[in-house]
Amino acid sequence: MQVELRGITKRFGEIVANDSIDLTIREGEVLGLLGENGAGKSTLMNVLCGLYSPDAGEILINGEPTVFRGPADAIQAGIGMVHQHFMLVPVFSVTENVVLGVEPTGLLDHLDLEKGRREVREINEAYGLHVDPDGLIETLPVGVQQRVEIIKVLFRSADVLILDEPTAVLTPQEVEEFFQIIDYLRDAGKALVFITHKLNEILEISDRISVLRRGKIVGEGDPAELTRPKLAEMMVGRPVTFDVAKAPVDPGPVLLDVQDLTVLRDNDEIAVDQVSLNVRSGEIVGIAGVQGNGQSALIETLTGLRRAAHGTVRFDGHDITRVSVRKRHTMGIAHIPEDRQRAGLIGKFSVAENMVLNNYYSSRFSSGPQVNWSTVHKSTARAVQDFDVRTPSVFEPVAHLSGGNQQKLVVARELSREARLIIAGQPTRGLDVGSIEYIHERLIESREQGCGVLLISSELDEIMALADRILVMFKGHVVAEYDTAEGPVNKSSIGLAMAGAAL
Amino acid sequence: MNETQQTMSLNHLLKAQRGGRSRFEDLVVVPIFAVIVALILGALIMLATNVEPARIAQSYVALLEGSVGSLNAVSETLTAAAPLVLAGLGLALGFRAGLFNIGAEGQILMGGMAAVVVGFSFSSLSPMALLPLSLLAGALAGALYASIAGALRAATGAHEVITTIMLNLISYRLLDYMLRLPSVQKEGRADPISKSVPEAAELPRLLSAIDPNLRVHAGVFLVLLAVVVVYWILFRSKIGFEFRASGENAEAARFAGIRSGIVIVAAMATAGALAGLAGANQVLGVLGRATPGFSAGIGFDAIAVALLGRSHPVGVLLAGLLFGALEAGGRQMQVDAGVSIDLIGIIQALIIVFIAAPLLVRAIFPWGFRKTTGREG
Amino acid sequence: MSMTTEEPTSETAAPRIDTGRNRQARTNGVILLALAALAALVFAPDSSGIATFRLSRPTDAIPLSDLAVPAELSIQIAAALLAFLGVRQFLRGGARWTSVSLGLGLLIAVAAFLVWATAGKAFSLTGMLQATLVRAMPIALGGLAGVLCERVAVINIAIEGMLLAGAFTGALVGSLLGGIGGLAAAVGIGGLFGFILAALVVTYRMDQIIAGVVINLFVLGLTSYVSSQIFQEHRFLNNAPVFRAIKIPILGDIPVIGPVFFQQNIFVYGAIVMVVVATYYLFHTRMGLRARAVGEHPRAADTLGVNVYRTRYINVTLGGMVAGFGGAWFTLGSVGRFDEGMTGGRGFIGLAAMIFGRWHPVGAFCAALVFGFADSLQQKLALLGVPIPSEFLAMAPYVATIIVVAGLVGRARPPAADGKPYVKE
């Protein structure tokens, strides 16, 4: 089966997400689609799987022009998508998720789950997937959830599989396993589209590569003839250096000292298990690990959002284990939250209001019970300039800013006060390369001014580029620690630790 | 040279852009259409219930005359609007803090009851002391009663919509009980009715010099003061910033170190205080005593007022005046045309439907609006 | 490069961790001990003589003898049991079964309260249970309507209005066409308001709570307007026949259970059938699987070709029909006449029953029985001449509702997308 996109154009208001794109997908082949966050990859694939209808252009299946009126049509045509954010119902079992939408039924609309289970087992065997058909999704590891997504697509007998950023949530080891599954599928004659912004992976797995930038295809080629720098330049539109320049580490006294910390999740499961660590001033400590291994709970406890079940947290010699969020802010702990839209910003509030979201009460911005908004506006305007936040005015609702500018605003807020410790959770997730570089520079700058930085990221490359010391978290434990001052760190060794091999 | 450029762009950043046409449509065009459509549908309902077209016309004329047609009509409109605005301000403040308080009815009853009890218990005090004391008692009782729902929400997550409705139902029974207590019940009466408020505790009538029947009273000043205070709280004060932040995005507020528990209780208490004031305003300015169900649904109408006013103090004032006018005009309508005043309730509900679903108004009157682009849709 | 692999710390003694469950157990313990003190210090000293509970009427096919208990002694026993359950919460392992203990404790406390109220008098237990079921029906049906709507993530605050609309239409159409016609019309009008709610929140993306409140106000206004504009003049329009109880042969003769479950009117039977059907529909059919998927993760359902909007329309309309049926109970099931605002907050109590019943039809039905019990209890207690003002007794169902939503009896997880509009891209 061959799918051809011809001149696909998709607009959202005045933004052109896809600009007359041509693309061909062939069976028994992996097409790598490379592009930055916001380049239009996901939009293009949503057009292909029937979620969006294109404003112009056509889709040809085996040469026949086809119109998708909805996802059901695309599924019918044999096109299946594995979404970046899994489309699984957490409280359903594997089988229930797989059959949803194409349920085998009996009398009185009765749901025949037994038949579904049988088919799941068959697909399991055919492609070596090893998934328990009765497992409850929310209890399964992410890697397995992803395989459920693949089973879902195969259950609908799809011939074209679109994989949207499939490796973002996997450990390096899980990525290897995943690539094996892709090989199986390719050998079985499926057509695969592999969407990513990671250069190594696309070079490793693709048979052909297309590069998307600002909604246009800017380059195509054979992975054997392409190199990382070449691809990066095509993707970003200018030469990119992968190395972050920073001075040798010169750490000062211990700022943050965590001893024997245990933290529970809301459901009383242990999220952080007797962890001890410290951060000194003038160094960046990176915490690597696959999402969901306790990093979020650790950050929440360090910033006062979640109570510690056991252990102590000391900041600058003071015991802050039971100190409130606000008190920690005023003591000099800055926090860049993992999820800026949910926890870092208020979309309907103006840039200025967001700028003082956690320090409106300080004597700089308020007198008595009243906030001095004119002071706030002036100070925000200055910070907006300093941190290169692109906004028409300080009164603009932040929801109107781009993701990169929103994150710069959060960084501006957290770094423009007298912070001595910066806790940064996934500070560059979902940003374009320009914003990523900018935020990295700012974090390094803070380090050089003597701040301690605790960086939590699931992007191993980011941790390796920035951190002076690297801790690896797995299932709530710190399972390994590396010091970059003592020589280069072996990436695959970290990868193994992230998968729990060090235990 | 470089410095002037810097300051120029700073000034640019500090200049707010005009809201533009879509904001104007939201704030002005939609409400006007909403009122018109609601009146038309009201007429259709009258038609359906066997009211002849001539009488429908007569009712709408009476509605207009009864609300703004004479000095007395204006006085009645203001009298009816005062408690609606007070309670509506409280609800608006709650909405801004993300709390859907449906309990104004109960808070009005508790506030009014407290004001009456304080009024007749300390009747020996001078007006200068007794009136403020009674008003304060009303505000305090309303605040305390609303805090129950606030505290439950903060401590256990119990949804305030259900708890406030239950507190309303409880307040009716509580009021019935209190009105039969020997210390409260009017001497020599068997039915539940409280002692009367002494003159020293009454909100003085403003136009009794012109005509002693003009009921508009000093409560209108209370209303104006409340509008200013609520505006200040919401948009100038620290606690108001916390209210709004929690209301828009509770998670981000928590991350910013705002304690949601305190914010919820404080917002509910403030809202309850305003509803309690509305109750006090009724017993001290209009009724002179407490009787079962003296709130007369003001607490529910105030929800509509707060929604119609877009939870903005000035909007609430205007919406309250409109609803006060509908109320006063509705009574005239009942007298002149024999159409039940319950029709006003229907019209009010319809107005909120159209206000709260602007997409619906746009669907009915596509020609009233600029074509929207994808971004706004 | 250096690598220090830390020792796994599992063999060292795990620190004593204060879990949320332990805290919950302590709270429950305090409540149970307070109840024990209340029973021992307030109820027991005030109770003398024998409390007699009648289990059957003289006319019953198989009469049972009365249940007579010495009041003070049995209350003391109840207090001792409560104290035992309370203390257990603070001991090791008390966190297990804590919700069950609390539920058991509340039952014992209610029993002790009943004995205190009945001390020296006689009281028909079967009669109260029968009334419990009857009074629970509008709440159960309201709760079931809530389950149907919230399972597809639409919060239905408008149940109160739908009940009221059903009651009104039942009376009006029932007066003209008879009981069956009235019932059908009530179901239809409930479905209509369900459809309107769906249209407002799904198609016009109105805030769900505001939409619900507005429908309540609208129905209250409309029914009051019509009843004052028309019913007062034409009384025959508000005089509907009432469905009488139908005794099911044989089953209806079983002592206690017979009168409670099998000598009821069609509203009770109808509600039980609907609960069974709804359970089958939600958990054992294709449509039900899709509905639940829409409530938990609408985007996932959409990507798999499930029509989110249509599913929501169908379920909310069905919910409205169930509520309309429940509304007819007020007129066709009891007095045959419509009064303004006669539903008295039952719709909201139904929502509380839904939460208490963990968004499950059977759970909501059982929870409704608890509220029905509180409702019938306050009625019967007034007859017993308990030294509690009648106004306070009348508050009982409302206070019970607040206690339930405040989650003293364990918290459940609502459908993940509950209350959130779904915007198709």
Side-chain angles (χ1 to χ4, degrees), chain A residues 305 324-326 329 335 337 341-343 345-346 348-349 353 357-358 360-361 366 368-371 373 377-378 381-382 385 391 393-396 400, chain B residues 5-7 9-10 12-17 232 235-239 241-242 244-246 248-249 251-259 373-375:
Chain A
L305 292 157
S324 73
V325 177
R326 179 168 296 188
H329 282 153
H335 177 203
Q341 252 133 28
R342 189 177 59 88
L345 295 168
I346 297 181
K348 284 189 187 164
F349 273 22
E353 286 173 312
L357 197 56
N358 56 17
Y360 59 91
Y361 54 83
S366 66
Q370 187 159 325
V371 181
W373 285 109
H377 293 151
K378 277 183 207 127
R382 234 168 286 128
Q385 282 188 331
T391 173
S393 81
V394 299
F395 302 100
E396 191 76 2
H400 291 180
Chain B
Q5 227 170 25
Q6 182 97 8
T7 44
S9 86
L10 257 183
H12 185 70
L13 279 169
L14 285 169
K15 208 179 291 164
Q17 288 169 321
W232 179 84
F235 301 111
R236 292 283 175 268
S237 76
K238 290 199 269 193
I239 185 85
F241 186 70
E242 294 175 358
R244 289 187 296 125
S246 306
E248 285 290 351
N249 183 341
E251 190 70 355
R254 198 171 74 90
F255 272 63
I258 295 169
R259 295 195 187 187
T373 53
R375 204 174 110 165

Side-chain angles (χ1 to χ4, degrees), chain A residues 74 106 147 194 315 318 357 401 437 450:
Chain A
R147 277 181 263 158
F194 182 87
F315 175 67
H318 304 281
L357 197 56
L401 306 188
E437 286 174 338

